[in-house]
C-alpha cells in the first residue's frame, strides 16, 4: 500500500509539525482550525511532548514565548480573531528573537466576521500587526502536501534566523482533505543546540530573554541588527512558483486556495490557446519581487486574485512598479472567487474593459458573479 | 419497507459523500428519501452545502436553517425529532465525525425509529483508523457516543483523487477483518465513480459486497465549473 | 580591628531603615556623600564592639548593603 | 569572625534602580537567599514582569525572561513545560498580576502549574507614577483617585491571596508583610516553603508581600513602613491561606 494518508489540512499540519520536531503546542479553540489542537492533544503525549489549552489566545502565545525562550520547538495555531489577540506577544517574540511557528487558518473579518475562508489577514501577517519594526517570515501553502513540506522548513528557518515564522493558510486549506506523504520524523538529537535558552545557568553566565532597550542608541542598534537579519531573509528565503512563464502574456497572481482556482482557470484557457500564466508567491514575506522580473518583458498585465478587498495586490504593484497594468479581483467574507468569475475578469482585462491600474472591486450585484 | 440509516465514523471517513450518494441511489429507485444533516461539528463540506442539488433530484434535506448555516454554533435542524421518529420513507442520517460529532445523535437516541441501523464508515487511509486496533477502538468510541450499536460497516477506503482499485480492495479486506472482530458484516463498499467500469469488469472482486458508486458532491472551489 | 557589621557604603541609599531597627542604636549616617550621592549608613569603629550581631539591620536593608559577623 | 549574615550570591553585585527604602529590594534579597539556601541557582529561571520590577533580571544571577504586562504566569508555564526540572518563578507587582494579568494568574493556579509566584502588593502603580492599582485601599489618594478611592466609582480592592486560596490547583498561598524584621523573617520562611513545594512537585504557590512605595505614597521610607503596618495590614490580613493537597 502507498505511504499516502488522506488528511484534513489542519490535521496534516499538526502531524507535519510533530515530524518536524515540534514537542510543545499551546492553543485556544477557534473555528476553523480546531482540528490542529485536537490532533496535538491526542498525539503530542505519544511522542513525549506537551499540549496545553490556555485560558485565552493571549495566554497561549505567551506560553509560546516562555517555551521558545526555554529552548523548546514550539508551535501555536489559531484563526484570524485569535491571531489578532496574539499580536502583542508576537512583537515580543520577534523583538527577543525567539523561534516558533504560528499557523493562521484565516477566516472572514473584520471583527468576529465569519468562519468561512479568507485571505484578509495578509496585511497583518506581512506588514506587522504588533508594534515596532519587525517581520515575520510568512509562508502560504496552496496544497496540503505543500503545507506539510513547508512545516519542516518553517521550523528550520525559525531556528536559523531566531524569528517567528507564520504559515498563513485559509479555512479551506485547513478543512479540505487531500492525500499526503509525510516526511520521516526528524532526529531530535541532531537539532543544533540553543546556548542562549533559559535552561538554568549552571556552569555558564546567565541568559536573558528580553526585548527591552531603554537607551535609544541601543534600541536603534538592535533594530538595525534585526533589519540586517531581515535583509538576509529577503535575499535567501524568497519562494514562489511561476507557471508558463516561458510563453504567457497574461498572469494571474494568487496564493493559497485562490491559486488553485486560478490554476484551474489557467488550464482551461490555455486549452483554448490563450497564453495565461500564474505567479504564485509561496513566501508572502519576503515577497517574491524577482518572480515579476522574470516575466515583466513579455507580460501584458497581471490580475491579482485574493479573498480580500485587495491586500497582496499592493505588493504586486510595488514589484511591477508601474511598468505594466495590475488588476485586482477579490471576494471576501468567506465568499470564494468562482472559476467562472475569475475567467470573466481575466477576459475583461484582456479586452481592456477594466479600468487599468485602479482597484476594481466586485460591487454589489457586480457582473462578475 | 422504509428504514432509517445512520452513517457515523471518524472525521473525514467520507460519511457525508456516502450519505448523499446513498440517499440519491434510493431516490433513483423511486423511494421517498429524506437526508438529515446532523453534523454539528464540521464547519465546511457538509450536506447542507449541496441542499439544492439534492432537492433537484427529489431528496428532502433536513438541516439547520439557512440563516444559521454558517454559524459557528452546534445548531440542530428544526423538527429533527419528528423526522427521525415519523419521517416519511427512508431517512438517511449524516452524523458528525468522531465521538464528538456522534454525541449529537446520542442526545436524540430515543427519537430513532425501531429498526434504525447504524453503519460505521471506515477509511483505512485515515489517521486513527489505519490499523485494526485503532479502527476497533474508533468503532467502540463513536458508536457508544451515538448510543446506537453498529449493525454493519461501510468500507470507504480511499485517497481522494488518487484512489485506485488497490485501495478499494485493501479497504475491503481491512473492513472484513474489522467486521469479523466486531461480529458485524460489511454491507457496502464506496467506489469512486471513475472506478466503476473496473469494478464491473471483475464483479467477484468485491466478494459480494454491494458497491455504492460515489459521485463527488462536496467540491473544492477549483473543482466546480461555476 | 575586625568589624562585626560591615557596610558596602557605595551601595547605600540612605533610607535609614537599618537605623530604625538597630537595638543598640549604633548605626550612624555619614555627613559625606557616596558615589550615588547619598549619605551612607555606617557603624563607627568605636561602636563595633557594641554590636550584638543580631543582623536585624542586614535583614531590613533593601539594598543588601550590610553583612554581619560575630566573634 | 563567624559570618552571621552575608550578601546572597545569587544577587548580582549591582546597585538597584529602586528608590531608597523600597521594599522591592528586601523581597529580591529574600528570594536570592532562598535560592542560595536551596542550592538551586544553576537551575532557576525567573520571569520578570512589567512594573517597577521590570529590571528584576538585572539583580538575580539566574537565567531570566522578560514578560509582557500581566503575562508572566503564561510565560512561566511555557518555560516549566519545556524545562520541568527548572525552578521557575515569576516576580510581579499588583498592576501586572491583579489587573491586566488576572486571567493568567487565576488559570496558572487552576492548572496547578508547578511554579512559584512572588506577588508584590504596594497598593499603587509605581512605575507609571502613582496611579490607582486594583489593590489601592478605599479612601487612598492616588493620581487617578485624587479624592481617595471611592467604591461607588472605583470599586473595592482585590484580595488576591483570599481569591486564589479558593482555587483547587493552588497548593500554597500566603501573605506576609515587609514592614519590620520579624515579618521579613516570616516572609522569608514563606518564600522558602513556596520554592520547596515547587521542588517537591506540589504545584502552584504564591507568596503575596505587602510592600511600600514611599515615593508615590509621598512619605519617608520609615513613615511608609508605618503606614503599611497601620493601613494595609488590617485590610490585607497576614497568614497562610492555603497549604494543601492538589488532588
Amino acid at each position: 500500500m502507498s505511504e499516502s494518508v488522506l488528511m484534513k489540512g489542519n490535521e496534516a499540519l499538526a502531524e507535519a509539525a510533530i515530524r518536524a520536531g515540534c514537542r510543545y503546542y499551546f492553543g485556544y479553540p477557534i473555528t476553523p482550525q480546531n482540528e490542529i489542537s485536537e490532533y496535538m492533544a491526542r498525539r503530542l503525549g505519544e511522542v513525549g511532548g506537551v499540549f496545553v489549552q490556555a485560558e485565552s489566545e493571549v495566554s497561549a502565545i505567551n506560553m509560546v514565548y516562555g517555551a521558545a525562550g526555554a529552548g523548546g520547538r514550539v508551535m501555536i495555531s489559531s484563526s484570524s480573531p485569535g491571531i489578532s489577540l496574539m499580536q502583542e506577544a508576537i512583537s515580543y517574540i520577534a523583538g527577543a528573537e525567539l523561534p516558533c511557528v504560528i499557523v493562521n487558518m484565516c477566516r472572514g473579518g473584520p471583527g468576529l466576521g465569519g468562519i468561512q475562508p479568507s485571505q484578509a489577514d495578509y496585511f497583518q501577517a506581512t506588514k506587522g500587526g504588533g508594534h515596532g519594526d519587525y517581520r515575520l517570515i510568512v509562508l502560504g501553502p496552496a496544497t496540503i502536501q505543500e503545507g506539510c513540506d513547508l512545516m519542516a522548513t518553517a521550523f528550520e528557518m525559525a531556528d536559523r534566523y531566531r524569528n517567528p515564522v507564520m504559515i498563513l493558510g485559509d479555512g479551506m486549506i485547513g478543512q479540505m482533505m487531500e492525500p499526503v506523504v509525510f516526511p520521516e520524523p526528524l532526529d531530535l538529537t541532531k537539532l543544533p543546540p540553543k546556548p542562549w535558552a533559559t535552561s538554568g545557568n549552571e556552569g555558564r553566565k546567565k541568559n536573558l530573554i528580553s526585548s527591552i532597550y531603554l537607551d535609544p542608541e541601543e534600541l536603534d542598534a538592535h533594530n538595525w541588527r534585526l533589519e540586517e537579519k531581515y535583509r538576509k531573509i529577503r535575499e535567501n528565503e524568497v519562494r514562489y512558483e511561476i507557471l508558463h512563464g516561458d510563453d504567457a502574456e497574461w498572469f494571474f497572481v494568487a496564493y493559497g486556495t485562490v491559486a488553485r482556482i486560478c490554476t484551474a482557470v489557467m488550464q482551461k484557457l490555455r486549452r483554448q490557446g490563450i497564453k495565461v500564466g500564474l505567479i504564485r508567491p509561496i513566501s508572502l514575506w519576503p515577497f517574491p519581487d524577482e518572480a515579476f522580473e522574470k516575466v515583466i518583458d513579455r507580460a501584458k498585465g497581471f490580475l491579482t486574485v485574493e479573498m480580500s478587498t485587495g491586500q497582496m495586490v499592493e505588493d504586486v504593484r510595488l514589484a511591477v512598479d508601474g511598468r505594466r497594468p495590475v488588476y485586482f479581483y477579490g471576494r471576501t467574507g468567506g465568499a470564494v472567487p468562482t472559476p467562472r468569475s475569475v475567467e470573466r475578469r481575466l477576459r475583461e482585462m484582456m479586452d481592456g474593459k477594466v479600468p487599468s491600474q485602479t482597484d476594481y472591486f466586485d460591487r454589489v450585484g457586480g457582473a462578475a458573479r | 419497507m422504509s428504514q432509517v440509516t445512520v452513517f457515523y465514523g471518524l472525521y473525514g471517513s467520507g460519511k457525508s459523500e456516502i450519505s448523499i450518494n446513498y440517499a440519491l441511489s434510493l431516490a433513483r429507485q423511486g423511494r421517498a428519501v429524506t437526508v438529515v444533516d446532523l453534523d454539528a461539528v464540521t464547519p465546511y463540506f457538509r450536506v447542507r452545502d449541496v441542499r439544492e442539488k439534492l432537492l433537484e433530484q427529489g431528496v428532502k434535506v433536513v438541516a439547520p436553517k439557512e440563516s444559521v448555516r454558517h454559524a459557528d454554533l452546534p445548531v440542530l435542524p428544526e423538527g429533527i425529532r419528528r423526522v427521525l421518529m415519523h419521517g416519511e420513507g427512508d431517512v438517511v442520517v449524516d452524523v458528525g465525525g468522531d465521538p464528538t460529532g456522534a454525541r449529537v445523535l446520542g442526545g436524540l437516541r430515543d427519537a430513532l425509529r425501531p429498526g434504525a441501523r447504524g453503519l460505521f464508515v471506515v477509511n483505512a487511509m485515515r489517521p486513527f483508523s489505519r490499523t485494526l486496533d485503532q479502527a476497533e477502538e474508533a468503532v467502540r468510541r463513536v458508536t457508544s457516543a451515538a448510543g446506537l450499536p453498529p449493525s454493519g460497516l461501510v468500507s470507504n477506503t480511499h485517497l481522494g483523487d488518487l484512489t485506485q482499485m488497490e485501495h478499494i480492495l485493501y479497504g475491503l479486506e481491512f473492513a472484513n477483518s474489522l467486521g469479523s472482530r466486531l461480529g458485524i458484516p460489511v454491507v457496502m463498499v464506496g467506489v469512486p465513480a471513475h472506478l466503476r467500469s473496473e469494478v464491473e469488469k471483475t464483479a467477484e472482486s468485491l466478494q459480494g459486497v454491494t458497491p455504492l458508486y460515489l459521485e463527488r458532491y462536496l467540491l473544492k472551489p477549483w473543482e466546480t465549473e461555476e | 580591628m575586625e568589624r562585626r557589621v560591615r557596610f558596602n557604603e557605595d551601595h547605600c541609599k540612605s533610607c535609614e531603615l537599618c537605623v530604625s531597627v538597630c537595638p543598640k542604636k549604633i548605626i550612624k549616617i555619614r555627613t559625606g556623600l557616596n558615589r550615588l550621592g547619598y549619605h551612607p549608613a555606617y557603624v563607627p569603629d568605636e561602636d563595633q564592639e557594641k554590636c550584638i550581631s543580631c543582623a536585624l539591620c542586614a535583614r531590613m536593608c533593601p539594598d543588601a548593603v550590610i553583612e554581619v559577623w560575630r566573634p | 569572625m563567624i559570618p552571621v549574615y552575608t550578601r546572597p550570591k545569587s544577587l548580582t553585585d549591582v546597585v538597584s534602580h529602586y528608590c531608597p527604602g523600597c521594599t522591592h529590594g528586601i523581597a529580591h534579597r529574600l528570594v536570592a537567599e532562598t535560592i542560595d539556601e536551596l542550592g538551586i541557582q544553576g537551575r532557576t529561571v525567573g520571569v520578570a514582569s512589567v512594573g517597577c520590577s521590570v529590571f528584576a533580571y538585572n539583580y538575580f544571577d539566574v537565567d531570566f525572561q522578560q514578560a509582557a504586562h500581566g503575562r508572566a504566569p503564561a510565560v512561566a508555564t511555557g518555560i516549566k513545560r519545556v524545562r520541568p526540572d527548572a525552578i521557575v518563578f515569576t516576580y510581579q507587582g499588583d498592576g501586572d498580576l491583579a489587573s491586566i494579568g488576572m486571567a493568567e494568574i487565576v488559570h496558572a493556579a487552576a492548572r496547578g502549574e508547578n511554579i512559584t509566584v512572588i506577588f508584590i502588593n504596594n497598593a499603587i502603580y509605581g512605575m507609571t507614577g502613582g496611579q490607582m492599582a486594583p489593590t489601592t485601599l478605599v479612601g487612598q489618594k492616588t493620581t487617578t483617585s485624587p479624592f481617595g478611592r471611592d467604591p461607588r466609582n472605583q470599586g473595592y480592592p482585590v484580595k488576591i491571596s483570599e481569591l486564589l486560596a479558593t482555587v483547587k490547583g493552588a497548593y500554597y498561598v500566603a501573605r506576609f508583610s515587609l514592614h519590620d524584621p520579624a515579618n521579613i523573617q516570616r516572609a522569608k520562611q514563606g518564600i522558602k516553603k513556596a520554592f520547596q513545594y515547587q521542588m517537591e512537585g506540589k504545584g502552584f504557590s504564591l507568596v503575596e508581600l505587602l510592600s511600600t512605595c514611599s515615593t508615590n505614597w509621598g512619605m519617608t521610607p520609615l513613615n511608609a513602613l508605618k503606614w503599611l503596618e497601620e493601613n494595609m495590614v488590617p485590610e490585607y490580613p497576614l497568614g497562610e491561606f492555603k497549604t494543601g493537597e492538589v488532588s
Side-chain angles (χ1 to χ4, degrees):
Chain A
M1 220 21 46
S2 67
E3 292 166 40
S4 296
V5 199
L6 189 65
M7 299 291 282
K8 217 176 201 187
N10 284 332
E11 301 166 337
L13 288 183
E15 178 63 31
I18 289 170
R19 285 170 187 248
C22 173
R23 288 296 177 273
Y24 305 95
Y25 174 92
F26 304 91
Y28 185 80
I30 185 169
T31 310
Q33 62 78 57
N34 289 322
E35 294 84 358
I36 299 183
S37 286
E38 288 162 1
Y39 194 91
M40 287 299 198
R42 197 159 170 171
R43 274 282 282 138
L44 270 177
E46 294 174 10
V47 294
V50 174
F51 165 87
V52 178
Q53 179 171 324
E55 62 272 22
S56 66
E57 286 90 347
V58 175
S59 183
I61 188 69
N62 279 283
M63 291 176 184
V64 168
Y65 173 89
R73 209 161 233 226
V74 54
M75 184 172 102
I76 189 166
S77 64
S78 189
S79 180
S80 309
I83 297 286
S84 291
L85 278 167
M86 296 177 187
Q87 292 304 324
E88 176 199 44
I90 292 174
S91 169
Y92 276 68
I93 290 169
E97 295 189 82
L98 297 178
C100 67
V101 172
I102 303 160
V103 176
N104 181 3
M105 286 300 173
C106 186
R107 63 186 241 184
L112 196 48
I115 59 169
Q116 298 296 318
S118 165
Q119 295 179 321
D121 296 356
Y122 179 91
F123 281 158
Q124 185 193 56
T126 62
K127 313 286 181 193
H131 56 284
D133 273 317
Y134 75 91
R135 295 292 187 174
L136 302 182
I137 300 172
V138 184
L139 305 172
T143 67
I144 296 177
Q145 183 68 57
E146 184 175 54
C148 292
D149 297 342
L150 285 175
M151 187 58 86
T153 312
F155 276 105
E156 189 278 322
M157 282 199 287
D159 274 357
R160 185 151 44 88
Y161 294 108
R162 286 186 61 183
N163 206 68
V165 177
M166 176 174 279
I167 295 193
L168 184 63
D170 57 61
M172 189 60 67
I173 295 272
Q175 290 297 327
M176 69 185 185
M177 290 180 59
E178 287 182 331
V180 291
V181 177
F182 287 110
E184 282 301 304
L186 212 66
D187 182 353
L188 294 187
T189 61
K190 295 208 174 121
L191 292 179
K194 296 179 176 174
W196 44 263
T198 53
S199 52
N201 68 343
E202 196 71 68
R204 61 159 167 77
K205 280 183 68 178
K206 70 170 184 173
N207 286 333
L208 171 66
I209 302 293
S210 169
S211 56
I212 189 171
Y213 295 88
L214 291 187
D215 176 350
E217 295 298 326
E218 274 183 40
L219 182 52
D220 185 47
H222 171 65
N223 281 330
W224 283 109
R225 200 172 52 70
L226 288 181
E227 185 52 31
E228 174 58 20
K229 175 170 86 175
Y230 301 143
R231 191 188 60 73
K232 277 191 193 130
I233 297 172
R234 281 192 193 94
E235 257 173 41
N236 300 323
E237 306 301 344
V238 162
R239 287 171 166 77
Y240 58 91
E241 181 182 35
I242 303 179
L243 296 181
H244 301 292
D246 49 347
D247 73 340
E249 295 171 346
W250 303 93
F251 283 91
F252 286 118
V253 187
Y255 68 98
T257 292
V258 178
R260 306 277 294 267
I261 299 165
C262 291
T263 304
V265 176
M266 179 195 73
Q267 285 164 346
K268 181 182 168 196
L269 293 175
R270 287 189 72 86
R271 284 194 293 273
Q272 300 168 15
I274 301 171
K275 289 183 175 171
V276 185
L278 172 93
I279 294 178
R280 181 170 73 86
I282 298 169
S283 60
L284 303 175
W285 196 93
F287 190 75
D289 292 347
E290 70 177 53
F292 295 84
E293 296 308 320
K294 291 192 171 164
V295 303
I296 195 86
D297 289 341
R298 194 173 37 258
K300 291 183 176 167
F302 298 91
L303 175 60
T304 306
V305 186
E306 297 178 62
M307 289 191 284
S308 79
T309 56
Q311 301 195 9
M312 182 179 73
V313 68
E314 294 190 1
D315 284 332
V316 175
R317 289 206 180 116
L318 284 172
V320 172
D321 201 15
R323 290 172 288 177
R324 294 293 181 274
V326 173
Y327 304 89
F328 174 72
Y329 175 56
R331 297 298 309 274
T332 76
V336 179
T338 60
R340 184 177 294 170
S341 67
V342 170
E343 178 184 339
R344 183 179 310 169
R345 194 55 55 99
L346 186 84
R347 288 184 182 278
E348 286 172 357
M349 175 179 96
M350 289 166 57
D351 297 346
K353 285 183 188 163
V354 184
S356 150
Q357 294 294 91
T358 60
D359 289 341
Y360 186 41
F361 300 116
D362 197 28
R363 297 180 198 287
V364 177
R369 294 196 191 168
Chain B
M1 200 185 81
S2 66
Q3 188 170 38
V4 176
T5 303
V6 173
F7 292 105
Y8 44 24
L10 294 180
Y11 275 131
S13 53
K15 299 173 295 300
S16 297
E17 291 283 16
I18 292 274
S19 299
I20 292 166
N21 280 277
Y22 182 63
L24 287 170
S25 75
L26 293 177
R28 279 193 289 270
Q29 294 165 32
R31 301 173 70 101
V33 189
T34 303
V35 59
V36 177
D37 179 350
L38 205 57
D39 187 344
V41 291
T42 314
Y44 303 179
F45 302 116
R46 297 163 304 191
V47 169
R48 70 197 75 160
D49 298 327
V50 291
R51 184 198 303 254
E52 263 91 60
K53 279 187 190 165
L54 289 167
L55 289 173
E56 278 165 22
Q57 300 185 56
V59 172
K60 280 192 206 161
V61 178
V62 173
K65 58 185 171 189
E66 201 57 19
S67 59
V68 290
R69 180 179 144 196
H70 292 305
D72 191 7
L73 298 165
V75 181
L76 290 187
E78 283 176 9
I80 175 70
R81 297 181 72 87
R82 186 180 48 75
V83 173
L84 294 179
M85 217 176 287
H86 309 295
E88 280 172 41
D90 295 312
V91 177
V92 177
V93 185
D94 179 34
V95 177
D98 283 15
T100 328
R103 275 204 304 258
V104 178
L105 183 70
L108 296 163
R109 178 68 188 86
D110 59 317
L112 276 182
R113 251 185 267 167
R117 58 176 184 161
L119 300 184
F120 188 91
V121 181
V122 59
N123 179 354
M125 295 284 118
R126 286 280 295 153
F128 309 123
S129 58
R130 299 196 81 193
T131 69
L132 285 169
D133 285 346
Q134 284 177 333
E136 188 177 350
E137 167 77 2
V139 174
R140 197 186 55 71
R141 290 174 63 233
V142 170
T143 58
S144 67
L148 178 67
S151 52
L153 295 175
V154 176
S155 176
N156 193 38
T157 292
H158 71 103
L159 263 184
D161 294 341
L162 301 186
T163 311
Q164 300 300 321
M165 201 58 205
E166 57 168 338
H167 299 115
I168 307 288
L169 298 178
Y170 169 79
L172 191 56
E173 197 176 313
F174 185 91
N176 275 329
S177 311
L178 181 61
S180 337
R181 280 194 184 199
L182 298 164
I184 52 175
V186 180
V187 299
M188 212 183 283
V189 53
V191 178
H194 72 270
L195 294 175
R196 182 173 194 141
S197 58
E198 209 170 324
V199 166
E200 284 172 349
K201 259 185 284 175
T202 55
E204 72 279 9
S205 61
L206 299 184
Q207 304 162 37
V209 180
T210 316
L212 178 67
Y213 294 108
L214 301 169
E215 294 289 348
R216 282 191 47 219
Y217 284 84
L218 303 173
L219 298 174
K220 293 157 195 156
W222 51 90
E223 293 172 333
T224 65
E225 279 297 310
E226 287 163 16
Chain C
M1 189 201 83
E2 282 192 297
R3 296 184 177 90
R4 294 183 184 182
V5 53
R6 306 169 192 180
F7 286 72
N8 180 0
E9 292 186 31
D10 281 344
H11 283 205
C12 177
K13 294 174 186 163
S14 199
C15 68
E16 303 187 27
L17 298 190
C18 55
V19 176
S20 73
V21 297
C22 176
K24 292 296 175 185
K25 304 294 176 199
I26 54 175
I27 303 177
K28 303 286 185 285
I29 301 297
R30 286 199 196 277
T31 48
L33 298 173
N34 66 7
R35 284 196 320 212
L36 301 172
Y38 294 112
H39 301 282
Y42 75 112
V43 171
D45 286 351
E46 63 269 25
D47 289 339
Q48 285 282 348
E49 291 283 312
K50 296 181 190 161
C51 173
I52 56 171
S53 304
C54 68
L56 291 186
C57 55
R59 293 191 198 289
M60 199 68 217
C61 177
D63 291 286
V65 163
I66 308 167
E67 295 193 325
V68 180
W69 306 71
R70 64 177 171 80
Chain D
M1 298 285 264
I2 300 154
V4 176
Y5 186 91
T6 55
R7 185 183 169 87
K9 69 180 174 46
S10 44
L11 274 188
T12 54
D13 189 20
V14 296
V15 179
S16 79
H17 71 287
Y18 297 117
C19 301
C22 175
T23 49
H24 264 306
I26 300 174
H28 280 28
R29 193 165 45 72
L30 298 183
V31 171
E33 288 172 15
T34 299
I35 292 171
D36 284 2
E37 288 167 23
L38 297 175
I40 54 175
Q41 186 183 358
R43 62 183 179 117
T44 296
V45 180
V47 181
S49 60
V50 171
C52 272
S53 56
V54 65
F55 291 126
Y57 55 78
N58 280 334
Y59 310 134
F60 293 97
D61 188 12
V62 300
D63 283 358
F64 244 88
Q65 292 200 37
Q66 173 66 53
H69 200 196
R71 315 303 173 214
V75 173
T77 298
I79 298 169
K80 188 72 178 186
R81 296 301 181 113
V82 173
R83 307 268 175 197
D85 293 333
I87 304 302
V88 181
F89 75 97
T90 71
Y91 189 101
Q92 304 173 257
D94 42 22
D96 186 276
L97 183 144
S99 194
I100 193 169
M102 185 62 108
E104 282 75 11
I105 195 66
V106 171
H107 286 277
R111 285 192 302 271
E113 208 64 59
N114 193 25
I115 60 172
T116 299
V117 174
I118 306 298
F119 169 44
I120 305 298
N121 176 1
N122 60 6
I124 204 160
Y125 278 60
M127 181 196 219
T128 46
Q131 294 84 3
M132 190 183 74
T135 49
T136 291
L137 304 182
V138 169
Q140 188 183 343
K141 289 181 181 171
T142 70
T143 61
T144 49
S145 58
F147 310 108
R149 182 176 192 161
D150 178 353
R152 287 173 305 176
N153 185 20
Q154 291 122 331
Y156 292 91
V158 175
K159 301 190 178 188
I160 288 292
S161 289
E162 285 85 342
L163 192 155
L164 288 180
T166 66
V167 175
K168 190 165 187 177
Y171 186 82
Y172 180 67
V173 180
R175 181 186 289 127
F176 303 98
S177 174
L178 301 178
H179 68 269
D180 64 28
N183 277 287
I184 289 171
Q185 201 51 28
R186 276 179 219 122
K188 164 67 183 303
Q189 293 315 314
I191 292 170
K192 195 167 178 177
K193 275 190 197 175
F195 274 83
Q196 278 171 324
Y197 290 139
Q198 182 182 162
M199 293 169 74
E200 293 162 12
K202 302 283 195 193
F204 181 88
S205 55
L206 177 138
V207 177
E208 176 175 347
L209 301 172
L210 299 184
S211 298
T212 61
C213 183
S214 59
T215 300
N216 284 305
W217 291 356
M219 300 174 194
T220 65
L222 272 174
N223 286 342
L225 291 181
K226 193 155 173 279
W227 192 88
L228 188 169
E229 183 180 10
E230 290 173 358
N231 295 279
M232 286 186 71
V233 173
E235 176 69 16
Y236 294 110
L238 305 180
E240 296 180 324
F241 290 85
K242 186 179 182 190
T243 309
E245 294 307 308
V246 179
S247 69

